[in-house]
Amino acid sequence: MGTLPRLGILLSGRGSNFMAIADNIAAGKIRAEIAIVISNRADAAGLEEARKRGLETRLIPSKGFEREQYDRMVVDVLKEKKVDLVCLAGFMRLLSAYFVSHFPNRILNIHPSILPSFPGLEAQHQALQHGVKFSGCTVHFVDENLDAGPIIAQAIVSILDEDTAETLSARILKEEHRIYSEAINFVLSGNFRIKERRVIQSSR
Amino acid sequence: MGTLPRLGILLSGRGSNFMAIADNIAAGKIRAEIAIVISNRADAAGLEEARKRGLETRLIPSKGFEREQYDRMVVDVLKEKKVDLVCLAGFMRLLSAYFVSHFPNRILNIHPSILPSFPGLEAQHQALQHGVKFSGCTVHFVDENLDAGPIIAQAIVSILDEDTAETLSARILKEEHRIYSEAINFVLSGNFRIKERRVIQSSR
């Protein structure tokens, strides 16, 4: 049995996308292992969840650090744990160019809108306020800019007249859990190329 | 038989959305009549198409006029023809506040993207360049800003790795023809309210 690709998970909160990834690994749907779960917040419920699952965790508090100074500490841990692919799962920080350059096209994030619409915080609320009829979610490669790197996968969710941010978020979250794992498999396959901003599957 | 709602069509080019609307009226799918087709360009193929269909047309060249000066001439014709609902179909001009105030929530436009993504020209090309996995089209109420009024209807189209602006445009256009007529029926029904930016169907 060959060695499995090693994922590094970064989170700041409950980490529901982390849990979906862990569940899919356990179910054999993602051929990878979680090498480390890192949080910048001591109170992140995702950290406790990771410990319960017997995963290695690391709390690296971000408070009081400059962006790059903090990122150097995180990159050191990811390198020490021989992480192949970094998955942001509700990690509430922009990454520095330093971080991004150490994992070129090896950092993924998920965002609850059809990017480039509604980047930033409370994307579901933004979508409702704007009155769009569809929203969804996006898995993308991470660069130094907010929710802006090349897009790997998207999913669409209809917006209903009676939706609130809560009901819409719940329906989008189901799609997030599905496409994040699909996108991880896609990236781990290596079977793609990036042409300018387009992420294109290579012929099989 | 009661009088039919009267549509005013504004176009600058071939007017394929105008033709779809006219076809759907002819097929009894929209209960309305086209009172006037106005173009700001003499070479608009849609003008000739309208004449062929026996519709009244008016060429009002825009060249050399200030925006509001031009819009006053157009509004005069629309009022003279007792137009109830103005449908922009590839009309390549921003409307002035003067125009908009004379047809409050009575001017529709269609745009070939999932707004607010990719407003402006060559939206299909913009979508491909950005690398999104889904695009589509949007029917919205028109205000003074570019592609920015409250959204009435949207449709989604998958983007394929092999898509060009031409192939994507063709697939989006099919959806445009469908949702523009649906949106016209929706607005003519009067069975909705606008809450901030959200266009919400009233309970039936």
Side-chain angles (χ1 to χ4, degrees):
Chain A
M1 183 175 139
T3 53
L4 289 169
R6 296 169 67 79
L7 308 185
I9 309 277
L10 272 58
L11 52 79
S12 305
R14 63 185 169 151
S16 89
N17 273 297
F18 148 62
M19 285 188 267
I21 292 165
D23 288 347
N24 281 330
I25 289 174
K29 293 179 186 167
I30 302 174
R31 222 189 65 86
E33 61 185 320
I34 295 175
I36 186 78
V37 176
I38 298 172
S39 172
N40 67 319
R41 295 179 55 115
D43 59 354
L47 263 189
E48 182 53 31
E49 186 65 33
R51 280 186 212 109
K52 274 189 206 160
R53 288 166 187 252
L55 297 170
E56 190 168 342
T57 62
R58 195 75 64 95
L59 171 64
I60 312 178
S62 52
K63 216 173 171 184
F65 289 101
E66 298 283 334
R67 192 181 310 285
E68 188 177 318
Q69 190 183 13
Y70 180 75
D71 283 0
R72 283 179 183 272
M73 297 189 291
V74 174
V75 167
D76 282 352
V77 172
L78 293 170
K79 293 286 183 190
E80 172 200 329
K81 295 295 166 191
K82 299 189 176 6
V83 163
D84 299 300
L85 188 64
V86 180
C87 300
L88 310 188
F91 186 62
M92 302 302 279
R93 293 178 58 84
L94 271 176
L95 303 193
S96 62
Y98 173 86
F99 193 149
V100 172
S101 69
H102 277 72
F103 290 91
N105 294 331
R106 289 279 154 184
I107 312 171
L108 308 188
N109 184 38
I110 188 150
H111 181 80
S113 76
I114 315 172
L115 289 171
S117 288
F118 314 125
L121 293 177
E122 298 189 18
Q124 304 94 335
H125 179 72
Q126 290 184 55
L128 287 174
Q129 288 280 103
H130 197 86
V132 288
K133 301 301 183 186
F134 295 93
S135 191
C137 48
T138 302
V139 182
H140 62 93
F141 288 113
V142 171
D143 62 18
E144 307 91 281
N145 304 305
L146 181 67
D147 303 326
I151 290 167
I152 302 160
Q154 295 186 300
I156 303 291
V157 168
S158 294
I159 294 186
L160 310 175
D161 283 352
E162 58 270 30
D163 262 326
T164 63
E166 289 66 37
T167 59
L168 177 59
S169 298
R171 289 208 309 289
I172 291 176
L173 198 59
K174 281 179 76 166
E175 295 301 301
E176 290 179 44
H177 294 170
R178 179 176 64 81
I179 69 168
Y180 207 164
S181 290
E182 290 176 3
I184 289 168
N185 278 328
F186 178 85
V187 172
L188 290 178
S189 79
N191 195 27
F192 65 93
R193 62 188 198 282
I194 305 177
K195 195 183 163 193
E196 290 159 26
R197 282 189 56 88
R198 288 177 81 174
V199 180
I200 294 177
Q201 186 150 31
S202 304
S203 48
R204 282 156 294 188
Chain B
M1 179 174 138
T3 53
L4 289 170
R6 296 169 65 80
L7 308 185
I9 309 276
L10 271 58
L11 52 79
S12 304
R14 63 184 169 150
S16 89
N17 273 298
F18 148 61
M19 285 188 268
I21 292 166
D23 288 347
N24 280 329
I25 288 174
K29 293 178 187 168
I30 301 175
R31 223 189 64 86
E33 62 186 318
I34 294 175
I36 185 78
V37 177
I38 298 173
S39 173
N40 66 320
R41 294 179 55 112
D43 60 354
L47 263 189
E48 181 55 29
E49 186 65 34
R51 281 186 211 109
K52 274 188 205 159
R53 289 167 186 252
L55 296 171
E56 188 166 345
T57 63
R58 196 73 64 95
L59 171 64
I60 312 178
S62 51
K63 218 175 169 184
F65 289 102
E66 299 281 334
R67 192 182 311 285
E68 187 176 320
Q69 191 183 13
Y70 180 76
D71 283 0
R72 283 179 183 272
M73 298 189 292
V74 174
V75 167
D76 283 351
V77 173
L78 293 170
K79 293 286 182 190
E80 171 199 330
K81 294 296 165 189
K82 300 187 181 356
V83 163
D84 299 299
L85 187 64
V86 180
C87 299
L88 310 189
F91 187 62
M92 303 301 280
R93 294 179 57 84
L94 271 177
L95 304 193
S96 61
Y98 173 86
F99 194 149
V100 171
S101 70
H102 277 73
F103 290 92
N105 294 332
R106 288 280 154 182
I107 311 171
L108 307 189
N109 184 38
I110 187 152
H111 181 79
S113 76
I114 316 172
L115 289 172
S117 287
F118 315 125
L121 293 177
E122 298 191 17
Q124 303 93 336
H125 178 72
Q126 290 184 54
L128 287 174
Q129 288 279 103
H130 197 85
V132 288
K133 302 301 182 185
F134 295 93
S135 191
C137 47
T138 302
V139 182
H140 62 93
F141 288 112
V142 171
D143 62 21
E144 308 91 281
N145 303 305
L146 181 66
D147 303 325
I151 291 168
I152 302 160
Q154 295 185 300
I156 303 291
V157 167
S158 294
I159 293 186
L160 310 175
D161 282 351
E162 58 270 28
D163 263 326
T164 62
E166 290 66 37
T167 59
L168 177 60
S169 297
R171 288 208 311 290
I172 292 175
L173 199 58
K174 280 179 76 168
E175 295 300 301
E176 290 179 44
H177 294 170
R178 179 176 64 81
I179 69 169
Y180 208 164
S181 290
E182 289 175 6
I184 289 168
N185 279 328
F186 178 85
V187 172
L188 290 178
S189 79
N191 195 26
F192 64 94
R193 64 188 198 281
I194 304 177
K195 194 182 162 195
E196 290 160 28
R197 283 188 56 88
R198 289 178 81 174
V199 180
I200 293 177
Q201 186 151 32
S202 304
S203 48
R204 281 158 290 190

